[in-house]
Amino acid sequence: AVVAHVVASGAGFVEDLDESFKENRKDDIWLVDFYAPWCGHCKKLEPVWNEVGIEMRNMGSPVKVGKMDATSFSSIASEFGVRGYPTIKLLKGDLAYNYRGPRTKDDIIEFANRVAGPLIRPLPSQHMFEHVQKRHRVLFVYVGGESPLKEKYIEVASELIVYTYFFSASEDVLPEYVILPELPAVMVFKDGTYFVYDEYEDGDLSSWINRERFQGYLHVDGFTLYELGDTGKLVAIAVIDDKNSSVEHTRLKSIIQEVARDYRDHFHRDFQFGHMDGNDYINSLLMDDLTIPTIVVLNTSNQQYFLPDRYIESTEDMVQFINNILDGTAEAQGGDGLLQRIKRIIYDAKSTIVSVFKSSPLLGCFLFGLPLGVISIMCYGICTADTEGEVFEHEGAKKGSGDRELTDEGSEEEQEEEKNGKYTELSDGELKQKDIMEKKKD
């Protein structure tokens, strides 16, 4: 009863949308869940979505929370670019922002508040700057007046606001340790330090911001690894067991952390560092069985990976391994070639079958045993039919041959008459000699 009450009360803060939404939405900011009634992921999201509706209403947010059955209103869903279920979008004026983060209440609300607010948030004082820096692990700041760089910064912010915050400030608001070679400038603050965008070294501003929107060291999971694929960086991961406090697990994690911290200026443009708890996900990704603890470097752009060719004993060994990857002397494994794709299909099929039998043996026997049984019966029937056909054909041929013999030689009576006739024509001596020969033959 309590659960039903909570769900019902949460649903009251989430509006069911219909075809009129297309015309009535433009004056408001909407956070919409496009779902399908039969979708399991959509059903799993529903109680979380109700909590989002309650929280947004309680905090006085201008964002309205709704949901739409994309199968019933497919034309509207198609206009908003809905391709799968569930799809979460924040609709602000003529713009639609896709949510691609974890489907948790806090993450969804944080996304809604970030995108619904100002595109560029001003930082008018040092106190405000310090407050924002404590709240956000990564923040981008534009410093300076009107310029082509600021226009580009605003353009990039409208594209990447779904991932991170964008701020602007005057030079006197920045911490004293910040030194800018020239103005205007774009900076990122993270990992206790800052980096200044350099057009000549860092290339396109959008690509640079996309690469720098993560901390230098992360706890990597499947979702984070997917997001890191957009940065174009290689990902160096210590694959360990977080619950295992042995020296080896702790040592490899510390080595990765030290490289990320002490060699940040050397590697942060090309590498992302972190650790992953457990090897299940990484095994499925590499189609291999890695024994933990270990270190692996992933190239998410082409699905290649690198494993150390020797034991990583110190930070220097790890730095040497990274340099070997950068200069091309380290051997790359995997990739996205034809053979790897075939291997992936076989591996995924095998993994699916094994997981089904592990989770439910009876269901596995039914799903895979029934089709195999039907196919076996069909094959047996085909083979049996061919054999019987050959037997019938042989007997038919035999019968036909017998008929032809009877036709050629005549009936038994005709043969007997012909035989008697021949005996009559022979002399008595010849008949006697013939009888002796026939007895010997018998």
Side-chain angles (χ1 to χ4, degrees):
V2 172
V3 172
H5 174 72
V6 171
V7 171
S9 61
F13 295 99
V14 177
E15 297 189 31
D16 279 307
L17 306 175
D18 54 25
E19 64 274 354
S20 62
F21 172 71
K22 181 180 176 182
E23 300 298 328
N24 300 334
R25 73 170 185 86
K26 294 185 178 180
D27 294 332
D28 299 303
I29 302 174
W30 282 90
L31 183 65
V32 182
D33 167 29
F34 293 91
Y35 70 96
W38 44 261
C39 172
H41 294 291
C42 300
K43 294 176 181 178
K44 187 176 180 180
L45 177 64
E46 184 175 2
V48 176
W49 199 249
N50 291 335
E51 292 178 4
V52 170
I54 295 172
E55 188 76 15
M56 297 294 281
R57 182 70 64 87
N58 290 342
M59 69 189 339
S61 172
V63 178
K64 294 185 175 182
V65 181
K67 60 180 181 178
M68 174 177 285
D69 183 349
T71 60
S72 298
F73 306 102
S74 56
S75 60
I76 298 177
S78 179
E79 284 188 36
F80 287 121
V82 176
R83 297 290 181 270
Y85 311 115
T87 294
I88 298 173
K89 288 179 177 284
L90 187 132
L91 307 175
K92 182 181 179 182
D94 294 329
L95 300 175
Y97 297 91
N98 286 330
Y99 176 70
R100 299 174 181 173
R103 290 167 186 164
T104 64
K105 182 193 72 172
D106 293 338
D107 287 304
I108 294 172
I109 290 175
E110 200 270 342
F111 160 81
N113 290 333
R114 181 173 67 248
V115 178
L119 197 62
I120 310 295
R121 291 170 164 82
L123 299 174
S125 65
Q126 288 186 353
H127 176 73
M128 180 61 73
F129 185 93
E130 293 172 0
H131 173 72
V132 169
Q133 197 171 18
K134 290 178 181 177
R135 287 190 58 193
H136 304 291
R137 297 173 180 175
V138 179
L139 66 147
F140 293 90
V141 182
Y142 173 84
V143 183
E146 298 296 326
S147 68
L149 181 60
K150 183 176 182 180
E151 293 177 2
K152 182 64 176 177
Y153 183 72
I154 294 173
E155 180 185 335
V156 174
S158 65
E159 175 189 354
L160 300 180
I161 189 68
V162 293
Y163 298 120
T164 188
Y165 286 89
F166 294 87
F167 299 90
S168 64
S170 59
E171 192 173 6
D172 58 349
V173 170
L174 302 177
E176 295 180 359
Y177 61 82
V178 175
I179 299 175
L180 294 176
E182 61 180 1
L183 291 178
V186 177
M187 315 166 61
V188 59
F189 289 84
K190 64 177 183 177
D191 303 325
T193 185
Y194 69 96
F195 302 98
V196 181
Y197 167 68
D198 187 324
E199 183 178 1
Y200 298 102
E201 290 189 7
D202 299 316
D204 180 63
L205 179 61
S206 177
S207 300
W208 178 76
I209 290 177
N210 197 38
R211 290 196 305 269
E212 298 297 334
R213 62 188 175 91
F214 294 97
Q215 291 178 276
Y217 183 88
L218 297 169
H219 181 186
V220 180
D221 56 16
F223 175 78
T224 308
L225 198 59
Y226 174 79
E227 288 291 297
L228 289 172
D230 295 335
T231 66
K233 290 185 177 183
L234 299 173
V235 187
I237 304 174
V239 186
I240 62 172
D241 183 357
D242 273 340
K243 298 177 181 178
N244 192 326
S245 58
S246 65
V247 175
E248 187 65 11
H249 288 257
T250 307
R251 188 182 63 81
L252 286 182
K253 182 179 177 181
S254 299
I255 287 175
I256 295 292
Q257 288 174 326
E258 289 174 12
V259 173
R261 181 186 67 243
D262 300 338
Y263 293 84
R264 181 183 289 113
D265 293 338
H266 295 83
F267 298 137
H268 86 274
R269 282 188 173 89
D270 301 305
F271 275 84
Q272 176 68 51
F273 298 92
H275 77 274
M276 177 175 284
D277 181 20
N279 61 348
D280 290 341
Y281 183 83
I282 204 75
N283 283 347
S284 64
L285 189 67
L286 306 184
M287 295 181 289
D288 198 359
D289 292 325
L290 295 184
T291 303
I292 57 175
T294 188
I295 288 175
V296 61
V297 176
L298 304 173
N299 186 339
T300 55
S301 62
N302 60 8
Q303 299 180 21
Q304 288 184 341
Y305 63 95
F306 302 85
L307 297 174
D309 58 355
R310 61 178 181 173
Y311 183 70
I312 300 295
E313 189 172 356
S314 63
T315 303
E316 289 72 23
D317 291 338
M318 187 65 199
V319 171
Q320 182 61 49
F321 177 45
I322 291 174
N323 286 327
N324 291 342
I325 294 173
L326 292 176
D327 62 26
T329 58
E331 181 184 358
Q333 302 182 49
D336 54 0
L338 179 60
L339 291 178
Q340 284 296 119
R341 294 178 185 178
I342 295 173
K343 184 179 177 182
R344 167 61 62 187
I345 294 172
I346 297 172
Y347 181 87
D348 289 342
K350 178 182 175 182
S351 300
T352 301
I353 293 172
V354 171
S355 62
V356 169
F357 274 100
K358 282 185 176 180
S359 60
S360 179
L362 292 177
L363 179 62
C365 292
F366 177 78
L367 290 177
F368 299 104
L370 182 61
L372 288 175
V374 172
I375 293 173
S376 300
I377 293 172
M378 291 175 63
C379 292
Y380 176 77
I382 293 172
C383 295
T384 305
D386 289 343
T387 305
E388 291 177 352
E390 291 176 1
V391 172
F392 291 148
E393 183 179 351
H394 178 69
E395 290 180 351
K398 198 173 180 183
K399 183 177 179 181
S401 176
D403 291 340
R404 285 194 299 272
E405 290 176 3
L406 290 175
T407 304
D408 293 339
E409 298 181 6
S411 62
E412 292 181 3
E413 291 80 4
E414 291 174 345
Q415 291 182 36
E416 186 67 25
E417 290 176 3
E418 185 178 348
K419 186 177 180 181
N420 294 336
K422 287 181 180 179
Y423 282 146
T424 305
E425 295 173 0
L426 295 176
S427 63
D428 293 339
E430 290 175 336
L431 287 173
K432 186 176 181 181
Q433 184 67 27
K434 190 173 184 65
D435 288 339
I436 294 171
M437 292 296 294
E438 285 180 357
K439 287 179 181 179
K440 288 182 178 181
K441 188 176 180 180
D442 293 338

